[in-house]
Amino acid sequence: MYRKHELPPDRLLSLTHFPYCIKRVGDHDYVLLNRFHLPLGFRAPDVTGAPTLSIAFTPRKLTPAVVKTISFDHSEGLDEIYLYDDTCSPTLGGVHLADYLMRLWSLLHLRIASPD
């Protein structure tokens, strides 16, 4: 549906302000990305990268088993964890929305390390 940084002129709030992917940005740090592979709330690519670093978090005990409960396809990879794809977008409603909310519930219970 959308490629990285391909921004339609008119879009739903869910595409920019709700988690689509959790991406590893360092050895232990992650950033929540929206449907356009931008940090949550971003509507245009940032050329400096500074805000990405300031919103990164370090989850504690993010294991393949935990990732499996967050990933829409139950994958266990730790580099990019997708909460949905275009075939099961929560904007489709019904079971897709319910499944997404269950994955968000798992995500909400992640403990993160205190910032240095």
Side-chain angles (χ1 to χ4, degrees):
M1 181 176 180
Y2 301 108
R3 293 187 201 118
K4 288 184 181 182
H5 309 303
E6 181 183 303
L7 304 172
D10 191 20
R11 52 195 162 278
L12 296 172
L13 178 71
S14 62
L15 297 176
T16 54
H17 288 74
F18 283 73
Y20 170 68
C21 175
I22 307 163
K23 182 176 177 108
R24 188 186 306 205
V25 293
D27 289 339
H28 305 287
D29 291 337
Y30 287 81
V31 174
L32 290 170
L33 301 180
N34 64 27
R35 183 60 188 86
F36 304 108
H37 298 264
L38 298 170
L40 288 187
F42 280 47
R43 297 181 296 166
D46 174 46
V47 289
T48 66
T52 302
L53 298 176
S54 67
I55 61 171
F57 62 94
T58 304
R60 296 181 180 260
K61 300 180 183 178
L62 185 63
T63 64
V66 172
V67 169
K68 195 172 182 179
T69 68
I70 298 170
S71 172
F72 83 95
D73 62 357
H74 307 292
S75 66
E76 298 177 353
L78 296 173
D79 289 333
E80 292 182 328
I81 306 160
Y82 290 93
L83 279 75
Y84 66 93
D85 74 359
D86 293 334
T87 64
C88 63
S89 172
T91 59
L92 297 172
V95 69
H96 302 297
L97 177 58
D99 290 345
Y100 178 74
L101 292 174
M102 289 303 296
R103 289 188 290 278
L104 278 181
W105 185 85
S106 295
L107 179 63
L108 290 173
H109 289 85
L110 280 181
R111 296 203 179 272
I112 59 174
S114 298
D116 294 337

